[in-house]
Amino acid sequence: MTIIEGMALGFGLLFCISFCAKCMDRRDYFETIRSFEMISDKLVKPVGIAVLATELILSIFFTLFFWVQFTFLLSLLLLIGFSIALLKVKLAKKNVSCHCFGKGNGETNLVAALIRNGCLVSIALFGVYAGVNVVPSINSNLHQLFMTFSAALVYLLAKEWSVLLKHQ
């Protein structure tokens, strides 16, 4: 496996976890979009659904190594959009729970979230640059897709289980 393929699988898992977590907690996810006050209330659901669809597509394309350079570029645009939203909230000195990966344990540390996104943007930029020569290998790609979604669901179940244990 090349470093680009490893990065693609990592991003595939990241976006799969993000997609599944937001789907499991849809109401809070849409409320979080509303609380960022960047779009009108009429657009909250369509934009939220578009983000979910984009994360699902990114997860599948990264895992199957489809159009790797384009997929890194699309993830770069999405991550920049998320970062702009977080920066706007930080500059407005608002306290939010971003629900980036589902329900959180309270308010989001916006500085840490911006640093995380900066690192992810840097990796995605490298992926755009280095993804030019990646040729998809068909062998075991469906197995990789299954393993990615399985790992994401196991992570989310463990996260939910730990939340349930805290509330007992």
Side-chain angles (χ1 to χ4, degrees):
M1 175 179 298
T2 68
I3 190 164
I4 293 298
E5 290 172 335
M7 288 169 42
L9 285 176
F11 266 56
L13 180 60
L14 175 85
F15 284 110
C16 186
I17 288 171
S18 181
F19 166 78
C20 292
K22 288 172 184 162
C23 286
M24 290 172 64
D25 195 21
R26 287 181 311 278
R27 189 172 348 139
D28 285 341
Y29 165 63
F30 288 120
E31 188 54 42
T32 298
I33 295 172
R34 184 173 284 108
S35 74
F36 277 60
E37 297 176 352
M38 291 183 70
I39 56 174
S40 73
D41 286 349
K42 292 177 187 175
L43 294 176
V44 167
K45 277 211 173 181
V47 167
I49 291 168
V51 167
L52 288 172
T54 303
E55 289 184 337
L56 178 61
I57 289 167
L58 286 171
S59 180
I60 292 169
F61 280 24
F62 273 129
T63 305
L64 297 178
F65 305 135
F66 286 158
W67 299 318
V68 173
Q69 187 178 29
F70 167 78
T71 307
F72 272 114
L73 182 61
L74 184 58
S75 71
L76 177 67
L77 296 174
L78 188 64
L79 289 165
I80 289 172
F82 290 160
S83 298
I84 289 170
L86 291 170
L87 185 60
K88 181 182 181 283
V89 169
K90 175 70 176 156
L91 293 175
K93 298 183 183 197
K94 292 172 66 176
N95 295 322
V96 297
S97 179
C98 77
H99 289 80
C100 301
F101 298 98
K103 184 173 279 243
N105 295 333
E107 294 174 2
T108 299
N109 180 334
L110 294 172
V111 173
L114 286 166
I115 290 170
R116 175 201 63 216
N117 282 12
C119 293
L120 293 172
V121 163
S122 298
I123 294 168
L125 271 171
F126 179 74
V128 170
Y129 168 74
V132 176
N133 298 321
V134 175
V135 178
S137 57
I138 302 304
N139 298 339
S140 77
N141 281 350
L142 292 179
H143 179 258
Q144 289 169 192
L145 183 63
F146 174 76
M147 294 305 295
T148 299
F149 275 87
S150 297
L153 292 175
V154 167
Y155 167 79
L156 292 169
L157 289 172
K159 181 180 171 187
E160 291 297 319
W161 184 259
S162 66
V163 170
L164 287 173
L165 291 177
K166 287 181 185 177
H167 292 294
Q168 288 183 343

